[in-house]
Amino acid sequence: MISTGQIQERRERVFLVLAGIFICAMTMLNILGITRFIQLGPLSLAIGVLPYPLTFLCTDLICELYGKARANFMVTLGLGLNFFILGVLYLGQLIPAVSPDAMPPWQVLQLAESVSLPNGSSVSGSVELYELIYATTTGAVFASMMAYIAAQYCDVQLFHFWKRVTKGKHLWIRNNFSTMLSQLVDSFMVVLVTFGAAFLAGDFTVRALIVLMFSNYAFKFIIAALDTGPLYLAVYQLRKYMHLQEGELAVPTPLNT
């Protein structure tokens, strides 16, 4: 016979794992960002997009198993970590570099020609590796923050809206409709904010923006459709593991809102 304490420990452990996956996927998005673009069939994608759909799966699982309050807490925590990432990047740029004679050879790149950056500026000649990373990463992190705020909170709100409309039935409706609509907001916003300056500077065409927006959303849409089966399986198995009845939330009563 399992004790109440063991059940509560299981519930907190599952939340920690889901929140950990969520934060890891979000951090990978910010670190990998636009450092490389890949071709998946007809889709042109920034490599940072690959782990991002996992964040919506984790959000939906926490919405279903823990409720709106826990989901909003996790999203807010992720927002705070985005600020932390930006702060560390800014601090690294602010602190002076070591003297040239103490600098490892890979820290300075010699560019054969001028290179345009996503923020609309360009660099040429000798440039520090970190300066290049900072210039390409900070804009992408800021863009992901803006898209993150809109999309993740939108996902939580829509999930619970569809849950009320369907009276707690048809998990596939709230999973797909909340994720697909919120990812539409995310996909268009993150591309516009990341490459808006480069577009205004004439380094990015309208066609390139549209291709990235469409590819971004199409990839997330396909993953959202494919994760319906795993979501049902995860909800079923986790309810058994955490000893939850249908409709019961894995949080203490005061948070069951």
Side-chain angles (χ1 to χ4, degrees):
M1 183 69 178
I2 189 167
S3 68
T4 303
Q6 288 174 314
I7 291 174
Q8 191 59 37
E9 183 183 352
R10 286 187 178 188
R11 294 177 180 183
E12 294 305 319
R13 189 182 299 157
V14 169
F15 178 77
L16 181 61
V17 170
L18 291 175
I21 294 172
F22 176 92
I23 291 168
C24 180
M26 184 201 70
T27 306
M28 287 175 66
L29 166 68
N30 288 329
I31 293 173
L32 298 175
I34 56 173
T35 56
R36 188 184 185 207
F37 283 84
I38 58 174
Q39 192 74 37
L40 286 179
L43 306 180
S44 301
L45 301 168
I47 194 169
V49 174
L50 294 180
Y52 193 57
L54 282 174
T55 63
F56 289 93
L57 177 61
C58 291
T59 302
D60 287 351
L61 278 170
I62 289 177
C63 281
E64 183 68 15
L65 298 172
Y66 293 86
K68 187 176 180 180
R70 279 290 181 97
N72 280 330
F73 168 77
M74 184 181 69
V75 171
T76 304
L77 176 63
L79 178 61
L81 290 174
N82 267 312
F83 278 109
F84 177 73
I85 291 170
L86 273 178
V88 172
L89 287 171
Y90 177 72
L91 185 62
Q93 179 71 1
L94 196 63
I95 298 173
V98 298
S99 60
D101 58 320
M103 191 175 290
W106 61 84
Q107 283 197 336
V108 179
L109 303 177
Q110 299 296 332
L111 303 178
E113 57 185 44
S114 178
V115 175
S116 298
L117 300 174
N119 61 7
S121 64
S122 61
V123 292
S124 59
S126 178
V127 61
E128 278 188 39
L129 177 60
Y130 185 79
E131 278 188 40
L132 203 56
I133 292 173
Y134 181 81
T136 55
T137 304
T138 48
V141 172
F142 180 75
S144 74
M145 280 179 64
M146 297 299 99
Y148 174 89
I149 293 170
Q152 294 292 349
Y153 283 114
C154 179
D155 186 46
V156 173
Q157 296 300 323
L158 286 172
F159 187 94
H160 286 279
F161 168 77
W162 288 113
K163 189 172 186 178
R164 289 194 301 272
V165 169
T166 59
K167 295 180 170 53
K169 300 178 181 178
H170 310 302
L171 174 59
W172 67 272
I173 291 179
R174 54 186 180 272
N175 170 53
N176 286 305
F177 280 31
S178 65
T179 299
M180 290 174 179
L181 288 173
S182 56
Q183 287 184 345
L184 181 65
V185 174
D186 176 87
S187 300
F188 281 74
M189 183 178 288
V190 75
V191 172
L192 278 177
V193 177
T194 302
F195 300 106
F199 171 74
L200 293 175
D203 298 321
F204 234 74
T205 64
V206 173
R207 182 180 180 279
L209 285 176
I210 293 173
V211 168
L212 284 178
M213 288 176 182
F214 172 78
S215 297
N216 209 331
Y217 181 62
F219 173 74
K220 294 173 184 175
F221 184 96
I222 292 168
I223 298 299
L226 293 177
D227 78 8
T228 303
L231 178 71
Y232 268 90
L233 180 62
V235 168
Y236 174 75
Q237 293 293 342
L238 289 175
R239 283 196 181 280
K240 283 177 57 179
Y241 177 73
M242 297 189 292
H243 291 258
L244 289 174
Q245 301 300 318
E246 187 68 31
E248 182 185 1
L249 298 179
V251 291
T253 304
L255 293 180
N256 283 0
T257 57

